[in-house]
C-alpha cells in the first residue's frame, strides 16, 4: 500500500530510537522496571503441513524471559507474553521480530431495522441464510435462547452450534455481560419460537406473516459463539486474535459448521498503521482465508475535539474516529443510521454517535456503508451485567409512553408480537410483570450503537452466501457497497446537546455514510462478477488543491491501490462514482464538502487529520484514558 503520511513519534527514550519502527508508540513511555503484556509479530513465514497446519510452534526470540508464559497467535504469526520495558530494545533488535505492540484492551461497541434494510421481504420469499455459520466474537451468546431454536422450534435444536471461551475466566460460554446475545439475535434470531411460547399469536399466523416476528436478518443461519469479553465487557487484542485463529481453524477443519462470516462488534482506538496493528493483521488473514469480516465502526461520532500531550485542542467534529480493526481496508466497516422507529426510509437520518473516517494514520475511507443502529430491538441474555445498568429513562417516563406502546403491540402490522402490557417492561426495565411465564423473562432489549448495525450486515452476508456459496469476501463487500442506497439522508441533521451545551451538524458525506444505506434485496439481485485478481479494498484519501469543483479551495482525492476492485472510472462496473454516488464524488476521484475538516485549511482539525505530523497514534488523548468502548449507548438519538 502506498505511504500516505509520515508519522511523528515524540518523547521516545534514546535506547528505542533506532528501533522505533518496530515498537508501538504507546510502549515508548514504559519504564525499564515495568512489566507489560505485549504482542510480538514475527518476520519469517511459518512452515505449513500438507493439510495447511503449522508444523511447530513459532521460534522464541532469545530476549524473551523463558519463565514467562507465552501463547502463539497463529493468524498473525505472533506471540503474546509479558516483558519488562528494559527488554524492549533487545527484542526490537532481534531480526525475527517484526513489530511489538501492547496487548491492548478491547471493548464492545437494534424492530424496524430489519424492514428498512429489506430482510423481512426476503424472508417472505424463503431467503433465511440456512446453514451458514456466523462467528460472533463478542461477550458470548446466551445458551438457552428460544429465538435461536430451529425454524419449527424443536426442543433442544439450538442453532448456537459451537461455543468457546477465550476470555480467561471461569464463567463458561454463555453471555455474562449481555452484548453478544443481541448481536446474535440481529443476525439469526427467528422471532417465531419466543412468540409461539408467548401464545399471543397462533403459530400459523406467525408463519404466514413474518411482519409479526421480531426476527434477525438470517433467521436460519447458525451462530458460533467465541467469547472474548468478560462480565464487564472488556477483553484484549490477544483474546480476539486467538478467537480469530480458532475461526480460521474451524473453517478449515470443521466443514460441517460452514463458518463463512465473522462479526466483530468491538474495537479500540487506532494506535498505529493497520499494516502493523496485530488486530488488523488477524482480520486480514481471516479475510484471505475466505471469511467475510464485518466490523462496527465505533461510537465516537459525537467527539467534538481531542487534545494532544501538550494539551493543544483539535476540533474534529467526530471525524477520524473509526476504531481498530475497522480501519483495515479489507474488512466491511459499518456505521449506524437511525430508522426513526418507522418502516419508511423517507425519515431516516444518520446518528450523531456513529464514528466517521478517514481512519487515523492511514486515512482509509471508512465506513464502507451504514445500517440501522439506533434504538434497535433484539434478544436479551437473562441476568447479564449489561441489563443490570440503570435504565436510560425513569419509570414515570416509561409509563407516559405505554398507551402508544399498547397500540403498537396490538397492531396486526407490528412485528413485536407480544402481549401489549409487556413491551415497555421488556425494553426499558429488563423484566416482565410478576406471574408471567418464567421462560419469557428478559425477552428483548432495546439498544444503540454501531455494535448493532454491524450484525445486520453480517446477516446480509449470510443471506448472500446461502444463495451462492461460491461468493468470495471481496465479491460480497463489493455487492453490498455498490447496491447500498445512495442519497437517502437529508443534506444535514442538527443535534443539540446540553452537557456540555453545543450543537452538532451531521452531513451524509463520504466519511460519514460510506457507500450508503444497506439494501439487502438489491445486493441479492446483483450478479456482477469479481475478478480473483482484484480485492475490494477501501481507498485512501488525501487533501488536494487541484481540480476542486464549485470554487472550493481544498478538496479530497480518493486513491485506489493497483489491485483494488474499486477503480476511479465512472464507466467501470465497480467505479468510484458507482459505489459512492455522485452526491459525494465529483469527477473521477475528487470529493468535497463544506465541513472544516477539508474545506478550511486553517482549522486545527485540518492540521490534525491531514498534516504531516498526524499526531493520532502516540500523542492524542482520548478523554481520561486511551481506551473507549464500542458499547451500547444509553442515550441514543431520538
Amino acid at each position: 500500500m502506498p505511504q500516505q503520511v509520515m508519522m511523528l513519534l515524540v518523547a521516545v527514550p534514546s535506547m528505542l530510537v533506532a528501533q522505533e519502527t518496530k515498537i508501538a508508540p504507546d510502549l515508548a513511555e514504559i519504564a525499564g522496571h515495568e512489566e507489560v503484556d505485549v504482542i510480538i509479530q514475527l518476520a519469517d513465514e511459518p512452515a505449513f503441513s500438507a493439510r495447511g497446519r503449522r508444523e511447530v510452534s513459532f521460534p522464541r526470540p532469545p530476549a524473551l524471559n523463558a519463565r514467562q508464559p507465552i501463547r502463539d497467535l497463529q493468524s498473525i504469526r505472533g506471540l503474546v507474553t509479558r516483558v519488562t520495558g528494559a527488554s524492549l530494545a533487545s527484542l526490537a533488535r532481534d531480526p525475527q521480530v517484526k513489530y511489538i505492540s501492547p496487548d491492548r484492551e478491547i471493548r464492545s461497541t437494534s424492530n424496524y431495522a430489519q424492514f428498512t434494510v429489506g430482510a423481512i421481504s426476503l424472508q417472505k420469499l424463503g431467503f433465511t441464510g440456512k446453514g451458514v455459520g456466523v462467528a460472533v466474537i463478542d461477550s458470548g451468546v446466551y445458551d438457552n435462547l428460544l429465538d435461536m431454536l430451529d425454524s419449527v422450534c424443536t426442543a433442544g435444536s439450538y442453532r448456537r452450534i459451537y461455543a468457546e471461551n477465550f476470555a480467561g475466566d471461569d464463567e463458561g460460554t454463555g453471555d455474562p455481560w449481555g452484548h453478544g446475545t443481541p448481536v446474535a439475535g440481529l443476525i439469526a434470531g427467528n422471532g417465531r419460537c419466543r412468540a409461539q411460547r408467548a401464545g399471543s399469536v397462533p403459530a400459523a399466523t406467525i408463519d404466514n406473516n413474518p411482519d409479526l416476528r421480531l426476527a434477525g436478518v438470517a433467521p436460519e443461519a447458525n451462530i458460533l459463539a467465541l467469547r472474548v469479553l468478560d462480565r464487564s465487557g472488556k477483553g484484549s487484542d490477544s483474546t480476539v486474535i486467538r478467537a480469530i485463529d480458532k475461526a480460521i481453524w474451524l473453517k478449515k477443519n470443521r466443514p460441517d459448521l460452514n463458518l463463512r462470516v465473522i462479526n466483530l462488534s468491538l474495537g479500540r482506538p487506532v494506535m498505529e498503521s493497520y499494516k502493523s496493528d496485530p488486530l488488523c493483521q488477524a482480520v486480514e488473514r481471516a479475510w484471505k482465508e475466505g471469511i467475510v469480516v464485518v466490523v462496527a465502526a465505533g461510537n465516537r461520532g459525537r467527539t467534538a475535539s481531542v487534545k494532544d500531550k501538550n494539551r493543544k485542542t483539535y476540533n474534529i467534529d467526530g471525524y477520524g474516529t473509526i476504531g481498530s480493526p475497522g480501519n483495515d481496508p479489507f474488512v466491511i466497516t459499518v456505521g449506524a443510521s437511525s430508522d426513526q422507529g418507522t418502516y419508511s426510509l423517507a425519515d431516516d437520518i444518520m446518528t450523531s454517535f456513529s464514528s466517521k473516517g478517514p481512519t487515523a494514520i492511514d486515512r482509509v475511507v471508512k465506513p464502507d456503508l451504514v445500517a440501522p443502529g439506533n434504538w434497535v430491538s433484539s434478544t436479551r441474555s437473562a441476568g447479564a451485567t449489561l441489563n443490570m445498568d440503570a435504565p436510560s429513562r425513569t419509570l414515570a417516563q416509561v409509563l407516559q409512553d405505554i398507551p402508544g406502546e399498547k397500540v403498537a403491540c396490538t397492531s396486526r402490522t407490528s412485528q413485536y408480537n407480544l402481549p401489549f402490557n409487556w413491551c415497555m417492561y421488556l425494553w426499558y426495565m429488563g423484566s416482565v410483570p410478576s406471574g408471567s411465564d418464567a421462560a419469557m423473562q428478559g425477552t428483548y432489549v432495546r439498544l444503540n450503537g454501531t455494535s448493532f448495525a454491524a450484525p445486520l450486515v453480517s446477516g446480509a452476508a449470510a443471506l448472500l452466501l446461502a444463495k451462492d456459496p461460491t461468493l468470495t469476501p471481496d465479491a460480497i463487500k463489493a455487492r453490498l457497497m455498490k447496491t447500498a442506497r445512495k442519497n437517502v439522508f437529508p443534506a444535514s441533521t442538527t443535534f443539540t446537546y446540553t452537557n456540555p451545551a453545543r450543537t452538532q451538524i451531521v452531513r451524509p458525506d463520504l466519511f460519514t455514510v460510506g457507500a450508503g444505506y444497506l439494501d439487502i434485496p438489491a445486493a441479492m439481485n446483483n450478479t456482477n462478477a469479481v475478478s480473483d485478481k482484484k480485492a475490494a479494498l477501501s481507498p485512501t484519501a488525501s487533501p488536494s488543491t487541484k481540480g476542486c469543483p464549485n470554487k472550493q479551495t481544498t478538496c479530497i482525492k480518493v486513491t485506489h491501490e493497483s489491485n483494488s476492485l474499486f477503480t476511479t472510472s465512472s464507466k467501470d462496473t465497480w467505479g468510484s462514482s458507482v459505489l459512492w454516488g455522485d452526491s459525494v464524488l465529483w469527477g473521477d476521484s475528487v470529493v468535497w464538502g463544506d465541513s472544516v475538516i477539508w474545506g478550511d485549511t486553517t482549522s486545527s482539525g485540518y492540521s490534525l487529520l491531514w498534516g504531516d505530523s498526524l499526531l493520532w497514534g502516540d500523542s492524542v488523548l482520548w478523554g481520561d484514558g486511551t481506551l473507549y468502548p464500542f458499547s451500547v449507548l444509553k442515550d441514543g438519538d431520538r
Side-chain angles (χ1 to χ4, degrees):
M1 308 288 278
Q3 184 69 29
Q4 297 292 321
V5 299
M6 291 190 300
M7 184 174 177
L8 178 66
L9 298 179
V10 297
V12 180
S14 58
M15 69 175 182
L16 301 183
V17 171
Q19 293 85 33
E20 65 182 24
T21 58
K22 285 189 173 185
I23 299 176
D26 44 340
L27 284 175
E29 301 292 344
I30 299 297
H33 67 279
E34 288 185 86
E35 290 190 339
V36 59
D37 291 329
V38 297
I39 292 174
I40 303 170
Q41 297 179 59
L42 301 175
D44 297 331
E45 288 297 320
F48 289 88
S49 68
R51 297 183 63 186
R53 298 183 185 178
R54 292 175 175 80
E55 297 286 350
V56 295
S57 296
F58 299 133
R60 272 43 174 169
L64 286 181
N65 184 341
R67 293 173 297 177
Q68 294 286 12
I70 299 173
R71 284 182 179 269
D72 289 339
L73 300 175
Q74 300 285 343
S75 62
I76 64 169
R77 183 165 167 75
L79 314 167
V80 58
T81 188
R82 178 165 294 186
V83 300
T84 63
S87 67
L88 289 172
S90 57
L91 274 171
R93 285 193 295 268
D94 191 315
Q96 290 181 172
V97 173
K98 178 181 178 182
Y99 192 73
I100 309 168
S101 58
D103 187 10
R104 302 183 181 104
E105 188 174 352
I106 290 286
R107 299 197 182 193
S108 70
T109 35
S110 260
N111 213 337
Y112 294 104
Q114 286 81 337
F115 284 85
T116 58
V117 298
I120 300 301
S121 64
L122 289 171
Q123 290 169 21
K124 292 178 180 179
L125 298 175
F127 294 106
T128 62
K130 186 173 184 177
V132 175
V134 182
V136 176
I137 299 180
D138 210 290
S139 63
V141 176
Y142 186 56
D143 57 1
N144 191 27
L145 201 63
L146 287 178
D147 280 351
M148 208 56 70
L149 290 173
D150 65 16
S151 60
V152 293
C153 307
T154 306
S157 62
Y158 291 105
R159 287 176 293 111
R160 195 196 76 162
I161 58 174
Y162 184 91
E164 189 168 346
N165 179 4
F166 297 89
D169 56 30
D170 59 358
E171 299 205 48
T173 58
D175 186 7
W177 189 44
H179 187 269
T181 299
V183 168
L186 287 165
I187 296 169
N190 63 28
R192 182 185 192 276
C193 304
R194 184 71 70 177
Q196 184 172 308
R197 174 70 68 90
S200 52
V201 178
T205 303
I206 299 171
D207 293 339
N208 295 329
N209 190 352
D211 292 12
L212 297 175
R213 293 185 290 120
L214 189 59
V217 172
E220 290 192 273
N222 294 322
I223 294 296
L224 292 84
L226 306 182
R227 187 162 82 82
V228 298
L229 302 179
D230 63 17
R231 178 172 286 276
S232 62
K234 297 179 181 179
S236 65
D237 282 7
S238 62
T239 58
V240 176
I241 294 169
R242 288 173 55 218
I244 293 172
D245 284 350
K246 176 51 69 80
I248 294 171
W249 188 91
L250 291 171
K251 183 181 186 298
K252 291 181 175 180
N253 297 280
R254 291 288 306 275
D256 56 307
L257 300 178
N258 195 25
L259 194 161
R260 301 296 304 275
V261 183
I262 288 175
N263 187 93
L264 288 165
S265 291
L266 47 76
R268 56 159 170 78
V270 173
M271 301 303 296
E272 61 258 309
S273 168
Y274 69 84
K275 303 167 195 174
S276 301
D277 189 321
L279 267 184
C280 293
Q281 293 305 298
V283 295
E284 282 191 19
R285 170 72 192 285
W287 189 273
K288 292 172 183 178
E289 293 289 347
I291 302 174
V292 179
V293 182
V294 180
V295 185
N299 299 331
R300 294 288 296 181
R302 292 176 181 168
T303 305
S305 61
V306 291
K307 293 182 179 180
D308 64 18
K309 290 179 179 178
N310 296 318
R311 312 306 299 176
K312 179 178 179 180
T313 299
Y314 296 86
N315 299 315
I316 62 171
D317 199 25
Y319 288 92
T321 56
I322 299 288
S324 171
N327 61 320
D328 192 277
F330 280 90
V331 303
I332 304 173
T333 305
V334 186
S337 60
S338 173
D339 57 35
Q340 297 288 85
T342 70
Y343 300 117
S344 172
L345 290 173
D347 59 355
D348 289 16
I349 60 174
M350 272 304 295
T351 61
S352 64
F353 55 78
S354 185
S355 287
K356 306 173 189 175
T359 67
I361 300 176
D362 298 296
R363 304 171 180 168
V364 179
V365 175
K366 292 283 183 174
D368 296 300
L369 72 166
V370 301
N374 187 73
W375 293 113
V376 181
S377 303
S378 188
T379 47
R380 178 181 185 271
S381 179
T385 307
L386 181 63
N387 302 316
M388 296 178 184
D389 292 345
S392 58
R393 310 182 71 213
T394 66
L395 180 59
Q397 291 172 318
V398 170
L399 292 174
Q400 290 177 358
D401 285 344
I402 283 183
E405 192 73 12
K406 288 181 179 179
V407 174
C409 287
T410 56
S411 169
R412 305 306 291 179
T413 62
S414 168
Q415 78 279 27
Y416 302 155
N417 193 26
L418 292 169
F420 69 84
N421 62 327
W422 287 17
C423 291
M424 299 308 293
Y425 287 96
L426 290 170
W427 286 343
Y428 291 97
M429 304 308 294
S431 62
V432 296
S434 60
S436 62
D437 183 350
M440 294 300 296
Q441 293 287 339
T443 308
Y444 298 118
V445 63
R446 205 174 186 189
L447 303 167
N448 305 281
T450 58
S451 282
F452 308 108
L456 299 179
V457 176
S458 293
L463 293 179
L464 288 165
L465 287 163
K467 180 182 179 183
D468 183 357
T470 68
L471 291 176
T472 65
D474 293 291
I476 289 173
K477 179 178 178 180
R479 289 185 179 185
L480 288 173
M481 291 178 67
K482 179 179 179 179
T483 59
R485 292 184 179 95
K486 320 299 179 187
N487 307 321
V488 170
F489 305 108
S492 65
T493 304
T494 300
F495 296 91
T496 302
Y497 311 118
T498 57
N499 188 23
R502 73 181 183 95
T503 298
Q504 180 185 19
I505 299 176
V506 175
R507 297 179 176 86
D509 55 50
L510 181 69
F511 302 124
T512 303
V513 303
Y517 203 137
L518 175 64
D519 185 344
I520 304 176
M524 293 281 282
N525 288 328
N526 183 272
T527 57
N528 292 136
V530 172
S531 169
D532 292 338
K533 298 179 181 180
K534 296 287 187 178
L537 296 170
S538 304
T540 56
S542 58
S544 175
T545 58
K546 297 181 180 179
C548 299
N550 292 7
K551 299 181 180 181
Q552 293 287 308
T553 58
T554 305
C555 49
I556 302 303
K557 185 172 183 179
V558 174
T559 303
H560 299 272
E561 296 303 311
S562 59
N563 66 327
S564 174
L565 183 69
F566 305 148
T567 68
T568 57
S569 171
S570 60
K571 297 179 181 179
D572 190 273
T573 299
W574 304 108
S576 289
S577 62
V578 175
L579 264 69
W580 284 281
D582 291 335
S583 64
V584 291
L585 283 171
W586 294 83
D588 287 340
S589 62
V590 176
V591 189
W592 72 276
D594 55 3
S595 168
V596 296
I597 298 301
W598 55 83
D600 179 4
T601 58
T602 63
S603 73
S604 60
Y606 183 95
S607 172
L608 182 66
L609 288 176
W610 306 115
D612 289 339
S613 60
L614 200 69
L615 303 176
W616 288 100
D618 63 336
S619 68
V620 167
L621 302 179
W622 288 89
D624 295 331
T626 60
L627 300 171
Y628 63 89
F630 283 22
S631 185
V632 294
L633 301 175
K634 295 297 183 182
D635 55 342
D637 300 326
R638 292 196 174 279

